[in-house]
Amino acid sequence: MLNDTIIHAERELYLTLLELAQQQPSAYEWLSKLPTWLNDIKDKANYAHAPVYQASVARLPTLAVDNVDLDSDILTINAPLSDSERKQTMALLKQLMPWRKGPFQIGGQVDSGQNEDQQAAPIFIDTEWHSDWKWQRVAPHLGNLKGRRVLDVGGGSGYHGWRMAGAGADTVIIIDPSCLFYHQFMAIRHFVGNADAHTHVHGTGRYRTHYIPVPLEALPEHSQLFDTVFSMGVLYHRQSPFEHLQQLKGQLVKGGELVLETLVIEGDANTVLVPHDRYAQMNNVYFLPSVAALIGWLEKAGFSDVRCVDVAVTSIEEQRKTEWMTYHSLADFLDPNDSSKTLEGYPAPMRATLLAKK
């Protein structure tokens, strides 16, 4: 029996935007574009693997979920797993590899009707990135997310978006144009079910966590719909960083908060690295500013109260090859004789998190 997880999640997204549009008319433009956005990501002509990904999500078994913890470092879905359910779920989730952002755990709750020996071990999706480490660095510095409308730009599999919901956000919209990441999110949504939904006296309301498979530049400009906008791991991929900053600003309400995390280098306010060819074997890295230069960029873009709250060198423990991401990872991109440098001779990846107000 196939599930209707994707259809139901997309319906929840539509209804959430419809309710929002009744308060904020700029959301009607999102609604007008939504059918195209959702159809394009499933079109085999655009994404050859889309039908396979859809089928993998649709074939996931329905589990008797006991509890979902969106506020733990390992996003955990507690549910009893039989051996056959575990094998089926593992096989389907592995069709959605590589898993880069997480971690996630499915299973691990002992059913009172079965003894512990009959329970299969939980499935631990050990992703390439310890995204929980980034959240630990960022979360203490955030304004209170409770009741806020949040946009997560370049959200990958959705791990951080789920954590935003776990922190109490009223609505989280994750955007990322990746067909694979969209279906990874839907696979996790299948097991989360309505655990993130609003609750009220009449029962369960709308889902709070949603995913639109588009890049930032596809969104209507100057929507001004969000109290908080996250852009983590995106800026250095943009050929025009100032355009990206303006697009982020256009999605914020007046007084809203931007959370910007990106690669940086050491240096003064005039220091910016423009890799000649590749950086850490990535061919789509364009600008790596110093923290001081990045603060200047944000101020030039019209943001205020700009401050850097964290700088951290990325370690090979935080980003590494795993059973769920078997390709090359950070250790393969660093100079084998000097881990402070990339293979190309540039400074090794270092990431800064900055906060700013519109």
Side-chain angles (χ1 to χ4, degrees), residues 67-79:
N67 173 262
V68 176
D69 191 348
L70 301 178
D71 199 29
S72 66
D73 290 340
I74 301 171
L75 196 152
T76 303
I77 297 146
N78 286 317

Side-chain angles (χ1 to χ4, degrees), residues 159-177:
Y159 172 85
H160 288 124
W162 291 117
R163 295 302 302 272
M164 294 164 200
D170 182 78
T171 302
V172 179
I173 294 182
I174 304 158
I175 63 168
D176 196 302

Side-chain angles (χ1 to χ4, degrees), residues 10 43 50 57 123 127 131 140 143 152 181 220 227 231 258 272 285 336 354:
E10 292 178 347
D43 188 343
V57 175
I123 296 168
T127 49
S131 304
D152 183 17
F181 295 161
D227 304 297
S231 171
L258 172 67
V272 181
V285 173
L354 284 81

Side-chain angles (χ1 to χ4, degrees), residues 220-232:
E221 293 184 359
H222 309 298
S223 296
Q224 302 184 71
L225 291 175
F226 299 94
D227 304 297
T228 307
V229 170
F230 288 80
S231 171
M232 300 194 291

Side-chain angles (χ1 to χ4, degrees), residues 272-285:
V272 181
L273 170 63
V274 181
H276 178 68
D277 186 13
R278 291 173 178 261
Y279 174 84
Q281 293 298 286
M282 294 183 285
N283 63 2
N284 60 344
V285 173

